[in-house]
Amino acid sequence: MNKIITAICITFFSILGQAQCAAGEVEIELIVHTDNYGYEGYWEITPSGDPCGTNTIASGGNTAVGCNGAGDQSQTPGGYGNNQTITEGPWCLSENTDFALHFIDDWGDGGFSFDVVVNGFQTITLDGIGLGGTYSFIATEPSGHDLSVFSVNMNSYVEFGSYLLECHVFNAGTNAISSYDLNYSVNGGPTFTSTIAAGSLGNYQTESATHSVSLDVTEFGVYTLQIWADQLDGSIADENTSNDTLTKVFEAGPGIPNIIDTYIGAGFMMEQVAGPSQQVNRPTDLDFHPVLTNNELWVTNKGTEASGGSTVTIYNAGEAGQTSIYKQDGNAWHFMSLPTGIAFSQNGNWANSPGVYDANHNGGAAYTGPALWSSDMSIYAEDSGGNGSHLDMLHASPECQGIAAEIDNVFWVFDGYTSDIVRYDFQEDHGPGNDDHGDAIIRRYSDDTVTKDANDQIVSHLVLDKNAQWLYVVDHGNGRVIRIDINTGSDMGGAPNYPNPEPVAEYTEYTGYTQELVISGLNKPSGIDVIDDRLILSDYENGEISIYDISIMPAQLMHTIPTSLSSVQGVKIGPDGRIWFVDYDTDAVNVLTSAPLGVNEIVAEYNLYPNPSTGIFNLHSINAGQILGFSIYDAQGRKVLDEVMNSDFRTIDLTHLPSGLFEVRIQSKLGFSTERLIKE
């Protein structure tokens, strides 16, 4: 639905003249939007149920492709031009009758879209994907009043707080709407209503609307949010209730605890979470899925330029029930060639930054940039019928280094070729395996010069502090870390300075933005992450992970953790607050735990007794529902038990383990606490 709406909003069609159709007929027009390769497409309209070429009502595009040319890759000139919008028709068709649109793509990567217009009103957009296919539409004029809500700014995982709901509302009806009631309820509870003055929202137009009553989240759990519009223009009922309501399921849970200071002045335990046996191979970066309770960790493998990189997804990372899945997209050679970084957005999509100069590998001009993917395993690295499973890709940053997520489908990359920082807004993705990039917004920040590793081995990562709106960038070649205020800078216009740029909605240069030096005089910096006023930074060569105070500038070094490794790349503060990282040479994913753990990071009210004991311990939550679960570690830092609290009292049985010292890490609604247990 989102894809359809966005496409229509860009180009709104109004009929200048109308054919004289007989009674029982309606006037049909087809607006054809081509992609970068207009000659690849051919289409026909037939009665529903008839194959392409039988009882053809209308046709267009490259006749050399025809009904049987899907995937032939004949590259025969003809048909439409590139990135054009063509109006075909009108034709008079029987009202309320089903018809078929057949689309055939010579290359097999889709990219055409078709807007169906009935009596001057748009009714549907059909997206041609992959090799093409047969798509249905009904020759009927839309309802007069038909308003729907199709998106909301609520993430799939949230912490406690108040949230203003910003929705996108779509008018599928023929009548313009000047006002409406926007409503929401949670878990079937009371309805909250806000009256919205729309101005004049016409057929197939959208607008953003913010509900006046905030949604307050005060308890952990899974919520079902329903949002709908009614009372159009004050009192008119919606004539099509089937599309009125948007349902959004989200989870409320604990945030990432800030326990970084527990590493200062303490020892540490390092545990390998995954390695070659899980198919970790030359890892460059890692990131956790935004639903923190999933404890789902994704790792990028570098691979080769020709084959492309791959991913290892680790479920229940670091826990007793840990499992993993290795995947490589069928077209990773283009969309994930030498990936240098991975970053998750809160919507569950993630993007990677290919490190190659030309993702086509044909010796041509620079043509590479970030690629967008779904974390849904039924989509990612599965056959889409098109060009791999990627959701989108843009090609304005060759030799990408690190990547950071901002919001939705917006990401920042380190452009290793031009030595700039670039902001990419994919907007609506084009769907798995397609290639429509025309709605993208690209902004280039080039006041300063950042430099990559000359040997293209050590990655320069970056991370966005979403609260403070500072983008932290590892400038490897200059031995420093800088930060950019993403809300500053002036739009200077401009155009790409490299050959054959692809058409996008916006390409601009930004200058005059606020930039600060964070750390200087570094050796071979690579990975970076931030939480509150703490920054962690990895050094590739000496394997050190350093902790900095960023409440003051330049940042102040507080502590350095010597991992004794010699190729540390990406680092990440995990859902448990611990430091996770990848090591390139040992093909390993590791986690650091501060030791001793006998300091309460965040104190929860509980009793843990008897201690010492012969192996039976009792954990009692004083406040009902406060304790969520716990993990037990032995003296070597290995996790031996991981449990969820389903009541306020739990017996911990360690009788099957040898005597000695253990650490229990308790997760509460306040954060994490740790205690020592002694088994006699």
Side-chain angles (χ1 to χ4, degrees):
M1 183 80 174
N2 296 15
K3 174 72 174 178
I4 292 172
I5 293 165
T6 301
I8 294 169
C9 286
I10 294 172
T11 305
F12 175 68
F13 175 78
S14 65
I15 272 187
L16 299 178
Q18 191 162 318
Q20 297 298 313
C21 294
E25 294 181 336
V26 291
E27 180 185 279
I28 302 294
E29 292 192 289
L30 190 68
I31 305 176
V32 183
H33 305 276
T34 68
D35 61 4
N36 293 332
Y37 309 96
Y39 69 88
E40 293 177 358
Y42 175 79
W43 62 267
E44 284 191 4
I45 294 176
T46 70
S48 179
D50 287 346
C52 184
T54 300
N55 295 318
T56 302
I57 297 170
S59 63
N62 193 345
T63 56
V65 175
C67 293
N68 300 313
D72 283 355
Q73 301 185 12
S74 62
Q75 303 187 42
T76 303
Y80 299 124
N82 303 336
N83 301 297
Q84 291 188 344
T85 297
I86 307 99
T87 299
E88 301 277 17
W91 314 283
C92 293
L93 301 182
S94 297
E95 189 174 11
N96 299 323
T97 303
D98 293 338
F99 293 89
L101 173 70
H102 308 274
F103 170 64
I104 298 92
D105 190 277
D106 172 65
W107 191 260
D109 58 356
F112 279 31
S113 65
F114 305 87
D115 303 334
V116 180
V117 179
V118 181
N119 290 343
F121 300 102
Q122 290 201 331
T123 62
I124 193 172
T125 289
L126 306 170
D127 291 319
I129 64 173
L131 297 170
T134 299
Y135 312 92
S136 298
F137 68 91
I138 303 174
T140 188
E141 188 174 302
S143 302
H145 294 87
D146 184 7
L147 204 63
S148 65
V149 180
F150 69 90
S151 73
V152 64
N153 64 334
M154 201 68 181
N155 294 325
S156 297
Y157 185 89
V158 300
E159 301 177 38
F160 289 166
S162 294
Y163 297 89
L164 282 175
L165 299 179
E166 181 180 338
C167 310
H168 284 90
V169 179
F170 168 56
N171 184 7
T174 62
N175 293 319
I177 304 297
S178 60
S179 69
Y180 53 89
D181 284 353
L182 186 63
N183 313 278
Y184 81 84
S185 69
V186 179
N187 293 341
T191 296
F192 300 93
T193 300
S194 178
T195 299
I196 306 296
S200 182
L201 185 64
N203 169 243
Y204 258 65
Q205 290 183 332
T206 66
E207 72 169 15
S208 176
T210 301
H211 204 287
S212 60
V213 182
S214 62
L215 192 164
D216 296 326
V217 180
T218 59
E219 297 287 339
F220 291 135
V222 177
Y223 295 81
T224 299
L225 168 67
Q226 290 186 307
I227 312 172
W228 68 97
D230 60 15
Q231 300 299 303
L232 312 185
D233 289 335
S235 60
I236 300 173
D238 194 296
E239 297 173 36
N240 179 16
T241 59
S242 64
N243 63 359
D244 285 358
T245 303
L246 172 70
T247 299
K248 173 74 174 183
V249 178
F250 66 92
E251 180 179 352
I256 299 174
N258 186 354
I259 60 171
I260 295 300
D261 285 0
T262 65
Y263 291 91
I264 299 174
F268 68 92
M269 296 177 288
M270 185 171 69
E271 176 187 357
Q272 180 173 309
V273 175
S277 61
Q278 288 77 36
Q279 296 181 272
V280 177
N281 184 13
R282 299 200 296 170
T284 56
D285 200 14
L286 73 171
D287 200 7
F288 283 89
H289 191 283
V291 179
L292 299 182
T293 51
N294 290 355
N295 199 21
E296 180 181 317
L297 176 62
W298 288 61
V299 180
T300 50
N301 292 328
K302 185 175 183 178
T304 67
E305 181 173 344
S307 66
S310 57
T311 61
V312 178
T313 305
I314 305 169
Y315 301 96
N316 299 315
E319 300 177 355
Q322 174 180 303
T323 59
S324 64
I325 296 177
Y326 168 91
K327 277 198 165 186
Q328 184 176 44
D329 185 77
N331 284 21
W333 62 270
H334 181 89
F335 303 106
M336 202 183 295
S337 184
L338 306 180
T340 55
I342 180 173
F344 265 95
S345 183
Q346 288 296 321
N347 63 8
N349 291 339
W350 58 274
N352 81 103
S353 46
V356 296
Y357 172 79
D358 173 23
N360 289 325
H361 317 291
N362 58 11
Y367 194 70
T368 312
L372 184 70
W373 306 83
S374 171
S375 62
D376 185 341
M377 284 298 184
S378 67
I379 298 174
Y380 168 59
E382 298 295 327
D383 185 12
S384 68
N387 200 356
S389 68
H390 79 294
L391 298 182
D392 217 326
M393 186 178 190
L394 297 167
H395 301 85
S397 292
E399 301 174 356
C400 278
Q401 298 302 297
I403 186 166
E406 180 183 332
I407 187 173
D408 295 330
N409 292 337
V410 181
F411 296 84
W412 296 75
V413 304
F414 182 138
D415 187 325
Y417 180 68
T418 63
S419 298
D420 300 327
I421 304 300
V422 187
R423 181 184 186 268
Y424 285 91
D425 184 355
F426 293 98
Q427 299 212 79
E428 297 296 328
D429 66 78
H430 57 46
N434 296 328
D435 64 0
D436 179 13
H437 308 146
D439 65 343
I441 297 173
I442 302 175
R443 297 174 180 174
R444 183 172 296 275
Y445 292 69
S446 54
D447 280 357
D448 198 1
T449 297
V450 290
T451 307
K452 68 179 181 65
D453 174 28
N455 297 318
D456 287 321
Q457 181 164 320
I458 306 172
V459 174
S460 295
H461 290 291
L462 53 158
V463 65
L464 177 65
D465 183 341
K466 292 183 175 63
N467 293 322
Q469 297 286 278
W470 285 104
L471 178 72
Y472 290 81
V473 181
V474 174
D475 183 4
H476 174 88
N478 294 309
R480 61 178 183 162
V481 174
I482 62 171
R483 68 179 188 178
I484 295 170
D485 184 340
I486 67 171
N487 295 313
T488 61
S490 301
D491 179 356
M492 303 302 293
N497 58 357
Y498 47 84
N500 304 317
E502 62 185 337
V504 294
E506 176 191 317
Y507 180 95
T508 52
E509 304 269 353
Y510 267 65
T511 187
Y513 49 87
T514 300
Q515 178 182 302
E516 295 180 355
L517 176 66
V518 180
I519 309 167
S520 61
L522 298 171
N523 182 31
K524 293 187 177 181
S526 180
I528 191 170
D529 203 4
V530 296
I531 183 170
D532 300 330
D533 57 359
R534 295 292 182 263
L535 179 151
I536 61 171
L537 182 72
S538 70
D539 186 284
Y540 181 91
E541 187 172 66
N542 61 30
E544 294 179 346
I545 298 176
S546 298
I547 300 171
Y548 290 86
D549 180 358
I550 55 174
S551 65
I552 53 177
M553 286 289 129
Q556 299 296 305
L557 177 64
M558 303 180 69
H559 183 68
T560 296
I561 303 171
T563 69
S564 300
L565 299 172
S566 59
S567 56
V568 177
Q569 299 245 49
V571 294
K572 192 70 181 177
I573 299 169
D576 56 5
R578 294 187 295 170
I579 298 173
W580 300 68
F581 68 94
V582 294
D583 186 64
Y584 186 82
D585 287 343
T586 61
D587 301 325
V589 181
N590 300 304
V591 61
L592 298 175
T593 303
S594 62
L597 296 175
V599 177
N600 286 344
E601 293 95 20
I602 304 176
V603 178
E605 294 189 59
Y606 59 85
N607 292 320
L608 185 60
Y609 63 93
N611 190 20
S613 85
T614 57
I616 299 296
F617 303 83
N618 299 308
L619 176 61
H620 175 219
S621 176
I622 296 176
N623 296 322
Q626 188 178 63
I627 304 300
L628 305 177
F630 60 89
S631 302
I632 307 290
Y633 299 83
D634 65 14
Q636 287 73 47
R638 296 171 299 194
K639 184 180 293 186
V640 296
L641 190 65
D642 192 76
E643 299 286 347
V644 174
M645 288 282 286
N646 49 25
S647 68
D648 293 326
F649 181 88
R650 186 68 176 269
T651 296
I652 303 174
D653 187 356
L654 302 184
T655 55
H656 61 292
L657 297 174
S659 300
L661 180 66
F662 295 85
E663 304 284 349
V664 56
R665 186 176 184 85
I666 301 168
Q667 182 181 0
S668 75
K669 293 182 178 181
L670 301 177
F672 289 86
S673 300
T674 54
E675 299 282 349
R676 290 188 176 187
L677 296 177
I678 300 175
K679 181 187 175 185
E680 296 179 326

